Amino acid sequence: MCGIVGIVGRAEVAHRLVEGLKRLEYRGYDSAGIAILRENGVNAQIERRRAAGKIANLEAAVAAEPPRGRVGIGHTRWATHGAPTVSNAHPHATDRVAIVHNGIIENYRELKDELIAKGRRFESETDTEVVAQMLTDYLDQGMSAEDAMAHTMPRLVGAFAFAVLFADRSDILVCARRSSPLAIGYGEGEMYLGSDAQALAAMTKRISYLEEGDWAVLARDRAAIHDASGAAVERPIRTTELSGALVGKGNYRHYMEKEIHEQPEVVGYTVMGTIDANARAVKLPKLPFDPAQLSRLTLVACGTAFHAALIAKYWIEQLARLPVEVDIASEFRYRAAAMPKGGAAVFVSQSGETLDTLAALRYCRSQDQRILSVVNVPESTIARESDLVLRTLAGPEIGVASTKAFTTQLVVLASLAIDLARARGTIDRAREMALVDALTHVPSHIAAVLQSRARFKALSHKLAEARDVLYLGRGTSYPIALEGALKLKELSYIHAEGYAAGEMKHGPIALIDEDVPVIVIAPPDELFEKTASNIQEVIARGGRVVMFSDAKGIERFGGTGIDAIATPAVDPFVAPIVYAVPVQLLAYHTADVKGTDVDQPRNLAKSVTVE
Ligand code: G6P
């Protein structure tokens, strides 16, 4: 979602701002812009370049008329208030300030009315412009930049991060954070600002994160940070692990294709991080609660991470006999959930910045819950606000649709289920060893699925013609059906629905005819016969079935009239991790056939920092 960069530099910044924005492209955006202070005696002039669409358009605008100056801010915008046009693109500016903003100013309408009544004229439909106008109003009343900030901040309701340039202060950049993330980078005689460390990694590895309510004044040689009350505070400087090199596509056509193929490796890393292969045991850090004392565990997440949490519910309830509640963060955060005393909650997030998930975490914190998170970005806000972080070792995931983050989340959650079961005495040593062995074999099973990718590619040509597609599964294959449908619709724009196979008779069966492909996730587990009956019901109504199962399952089904794609034989415990890959491949190739933007599907964002 929206990304911010800023530089108070010794040398010109236009090019570096654009490079920083490219590093934030993965968050998803639909317009981009930069503002630079052109030094000109006492007063500098604000120069902007903005463009709708991709950063390449902004680069062209910058190349056509390069803005020159050593202090600047840049932004990638994911439209919330107003279409993704040049006039709505950030930075928003008056002759005295320029601002870039991530998040939403919820009370912007009333503030805008107030400013219009004072004679201020607006150029855009955005909520952001009210901040530029309000700051200018305070400056016009004779306030300093710092005082204007201090007066403006308390008037804003909502979640945001922003960076501001002041025309009469060519030596500073001011920034503020409420909910949306913001990092300060420390250079040699230069200071930087970014939505995350990834934006800054090519310029510096020394990063500090603003905390909730902080605002800061960056000069070339220092950052003066204030908390919400205005008191001066220090925030620790950390050395980020991120590499300065831009993550490339290697030999692949898309990031998503590369990330699907990285799964044997990153799933392997993650398994090795959660088990002791020699001891054939799970080895997680000490949990911040006593599993034997828990009466319930709450899992909260969004999107694909929510599907990982759903699978974890099956695992934890079956193995650890612990009741699990799973919810979508945007629902959970507002339903005043009753939490057990001394309870614990788990938050699953690739980015660690999803606003709804973070808000749900903070709600649980306010309810005295212990907080565990499963996160891919170790420096993220969710990671920093957790009592314990279990890391997925997926590496940077650039494709908007989550793939390797999902399978690595499943590995961590499977290990957590085993750990909880061991602590609660609901599995014996032999069972733990068998489960750990099953996890150890997952990377090679995924590699085998990838070997047979040509079959999914062939199927995708047929699927690309469909208008609606149904995905069915039972048990842990049900969330894989949901994930398959989500992947197909987000990538190829074909309408798809995931359903519990047993629920088909309560609605989706009405859709079935020869034009609606039905993809059935059917590993030969103890629910296989039930799923097989549902397949027969589809066939009886002239439906076209594609079954994903192993050779044994395909033989057990024995029926004709279906397409079956054989996956490797796997322990049912790890089946959802392995069967995640066929649904990814199918969605990827179908989108490729349809020619959609695989890595940045329309309207979607990687890091969803608005609610
Ligand atoms: C967006 C992404 C999804 C992701 C979801 C949750 O919708 O496109 O791929 O699953 O956000 O993101 P998180 O970073 O919290 O896992």
Side-chain angles (χ1 to χ4, degrees):
M1 239 156 213
C2 303
I4 291 176
V5 288
I7 305 175
V8 191
R10 289 185 299 177
E12 292 201 3
V13 293
H15 178 67
R16 288 187 289 164
L17 287 172
V18 173
E19 289 307 308
L21 292 180
K22 283 186 187 164
R23 300 180 67 88
L24 291 171
E25 267 196 296
Y26 74 94
R27 296 163 73 94
Y29 69 102
D30 33 41
S31 59
I34 59 172
I36 286 175
L37 283 183
R38 184 153 58 89
E39 288 161 51
N40 184 12
V42 182
N43 265 351
Q45 256 169 1
I46 293 168
E47 285 210 17
R48 285 187 288 172
R49 301 288 178 273
R50 299 181 292 169
K54 297 289 178 194
I55 290 181
N57 301 343
L58 173 65
E59 256 183 320
V62 169
E65 218 185 328
R68 313 200 58 173
R70 297 177 299 154
V71 181
I73 52 181
H75 190 261
T76 48
R77 171 173 187 254
W78 187 82
T80 57
H81 297 66
T85 57
V86 172
S87 60
N88 285 330
H90 298 212
H92 290 284
T94 64
D95 55 348
R96 304 196 69 175
V97 303
I99 176 168
V100 291
H101 163 224
N102 176 7
I104 294 174
I105 312 288
E106 291 177 6
N107 60 337
Y108 83 102
R109 272 196 207 87
E110 59 193 79
L111 298 177
K112 190 168 177 175
D113 288 347
E114 179 188 316
L115 289 158
I116 289 172
K118 283 181 156 185
R120 301 242 151 236
R121 287 191 36 232
F122 282 73
E123 288 175 357
S124 77
E125 303 156 275
T126 65
D127 51 336
T128 307
E129 199 183 350
V130 296
V131 187
Q133 294 288 355
M134 186 175 288
L135 285 167
T136 307
D137 192 51
Y138 286 129
L139 293 174
D140 287 352
Q141 292 172 31
M143 286 187 199
S144 67
E146 288 85 348
D147 285 346
M149 278 296 289
H151 277 76
T152 300
M153 288 284 292
R155 302 222 43 209
L156 307 177
V157 176
F160 51 76
F162 53 76
V164 196
L165 291 181
F166 292 86
D168 57 357
R169 296 288 295 277
S170 58
D171 55 339
I172 62 162
L173 192 61
V174 180
C175 58
R177 168 195 178 154
R178 205 186 284 163
S179 281
S180 301
L182 212 47
I184 294 175
Y186 293 76
E188 296 298 321
E190 297 196 327
M191 294 292 285
Y192 317 106
L193 184 68
S195 288
D196 59 27
Q198 177 76 24
L200 306 180
M203 299 187 277
T204 183
K205 299 215 177 310
R206 296 177 63 229
I207 305 281
S208 71
Y209 291 92
L210 290 187
E211 291 185 8
E212 193 59 15
D214 282 358
W215 62 280
V217 181
L218 307 190
R220 289 193 171 78
D221 56 351
R222 84 203 121 81
I225 306 177
H226 309 267
D227 68 12
S229 75
V233 285
E234 300 275 332
R235 301 293 177 216
I237 300 175
R238 310 153 185 255
T239 304
T240 163
E241 294 171 16
L242 292 169
S243 135
L246 270 177
V247 182
K249 290 181 199 159
N251 292 328
Y252 296 97
R253 290 178 48 236
H254 301 103
Y255 283 109
M256 182 182 177
E257 185 187 20
K258 172 171 169 268
E259 287 158 5
I260 289 174
H261 284 81
E262 280 172 352
Q263 288 179 109
E265 188 185 2
V266 297
V267 164
Y269 285 147
T270 308
V271 171
M272 287 310 141
T274 61
I275 67 160
D276 179 336
N278 291 327
R280 295 171 69 199
V282 161
K283 59 145 208 274
L284 294 182
K286 190 173 163 13
L287 298 176
F289 50 82
D290 178 358
Q293 300 300 321
L294 282 189
S295 60
R296 190 183 90 191
L297 190 63
T298 302
L299 273 77
V300 183
C302 297
T304 290
F306 169 68
H307 297 154
L310 272 180
I311 292 169
K313 175 182 170 75
Y314 288 83
W315 282 333
I316 296 170
E317 292 197 334
Q318 280 162 14
L319 292 176
R321 312 302 307 146
L322 175 63
V324 172
E325 185 201 27
V326 184
D327 208 349
I328 295 164
S330 56
E331 286 301 314
F332 178 84
R333 64 179 289 193
Y334 289 119
R335 72 174 163 84
M339 310 297 294
K341 207 167 167 319
V346 182
F347 299 85
V348 187
S349 175
Q350 186 285 127
S351 62
E353 301 293 353
T354 302
L355 188 70
D356 283 322
T357 310
L358 177 61
L361 180 158
R362 288 177 176 163
Y363 172 78
C364 287
R365 174 72 74 201
S366 76
Q367 299 295 304
D368 252 350
Q369 304 293 296
R370 304 297 288 166
I371 309 292
L372 180 63
S373 63
V374 177
V375 166
N376 194 43
V377 181
E379 293 143 335
S380 61
T381 311
I382 289 176
R384 282 182 283 125
E385 295 197 13
S386 301
D387 295 313
L388 178 69
V389 182
L390 298 177
R391 268 184 76 180
T392 49
L393 303 180
E397 190 181 65
I398 308 295
V400 163
S402 183
T403 52
K404 60 178 182 168
F406 178 58
T407 45
T408 53
Q409 283 162 354
L410 289 176
V411 167
V412 171
L413 292 166
S415 305
L416 176 66
I418 300 171
D419 195 59
L420 293 170
R422 182 177 57 191
R424 291 169 63 84
T426 49
I427 56 169
D428 61 14
R429 184 75 189 106
R431 180 87 174 114
E432 178 179 2
M433 287 195 288
L435 293 169
V436 168
D437 289 351
L439 271 179
T440 316
H441 294 132
V442 169
S444 59
H445 293 320
I446 294 180
V449 174
L450 294 173
Q451 286 295 322
S452 61
R453 63 186 173 279
R455 301 214 49 196
F456 301 100
K457 197 169 176 177
L459 179 60
S460 69
H461 287 274
K462 285 194 208 162
L463 210 63
E465 291 160 15
R467 209 188 60 180
D468 306 286
V469 179
L470 206 55
Y471 284 74
L472 300 177
R474 279 177 184 261
T476 54
S477 299
Y478 162 46
I480 295 299
L482 294 176
E483 174 62 8
L486 174 64
K487 280 279 157 295
L488 189 72
K489 77 182 130 200
E490 67 183 346
L491 292 170
S492 70
Y493 316 147
I494 295 172
H495 169 244
E497 277 192 63
Y499 246 82
E503 188 71 5
M504 182 183 67
K505 286 196 275 299
H506 301 285
I509 199 163
L511 296 176
I512 286 169
D513 63 22
E514 63 282 5
D515 294 328
V516 179
V518 181
I519 316 264
V520 188
I521 321 298
D525 54 20
E526 76 279 7
L527 299 172
F528 182 81
E529 308 306 338
K530 309 271 176 211
T531 309
S533 302
N534 300 131
I535 294 178
Q536 296 294 4
E537 290 157 9
V538 175
I539 296 172
R541 283 157 186 84
R544 276 203 285 147
V545 175
V546 181
M547 182 171 88
F548 293 167
S549 189
D550 65 13
K552 203 165 95 197
I554 294 169
E555 197 190 315
R556 241 162 97 184
F557 181 74
T560 48
I562 62 163
D563 276 337
I565 299 190
T567 49
V570 301
D571 185 309
F573 172 57
V574 296
I577 318 180
V578 178
Y579 281 72
V581 182
V583 301
Q584 294 168 354
L585 285 169
L586 194 58
Y588 169 76
H589 287 299
T590 306
D592 198 28
V593 169
K594 293 202 77 177
T596 56
D597 188 344
V598 173
D599 284 329
Q600 292 177 14
R602 68 183 178 208
N603 304 336
L604 293 177
K606 181 79 184 153
S607 189
V608 180
T609 49
V610 294
E611 59 179 300

